[in-house]
Amino acid sequence: MFIPVYIDIHGLHDLTAASTSLAYITQFLSAECAITAFIERYPDKMHVIC
């Protein structure tokens, strides 16, 4: 399984851990496919993070 998708599926309940993981992973891979679910679930918080 593609790592950002794994974080999307299993990390949606923990925004802090997931966003930290995605930030690290995007140094090497694209995480565009994973970030959408977080933006939909946490729109105000993701606006600050992104």
Side-chain angles (χ1 to χ4, degrees):
M1 181 180 292
F2 190 54
I3 295 170
V5 174
Y6 181 88
I7 295 170
D8 178 18
I9 293 170
H10 298 287
L12 196 56
H13 66 282
D14 189 352
L15 178 62
T16 304
S19 61
T20 302
S21 299
L22 289 171
Y24 178 77
I25 290 169
T26 55
Q27 296 176 56
F28 313 101
L29 304 167
S30 173
E32 293 176 45
C33 59
I35 201 71
T36 304
F38 292 95
I39 292 171
E40 290 174 352
R41 184 160 184 176
Y42 308 102
D44 296 331
K45 293 179 182 178
M46 290 304 292
H47 178 70
V48 173
I49 293 172
C50 294

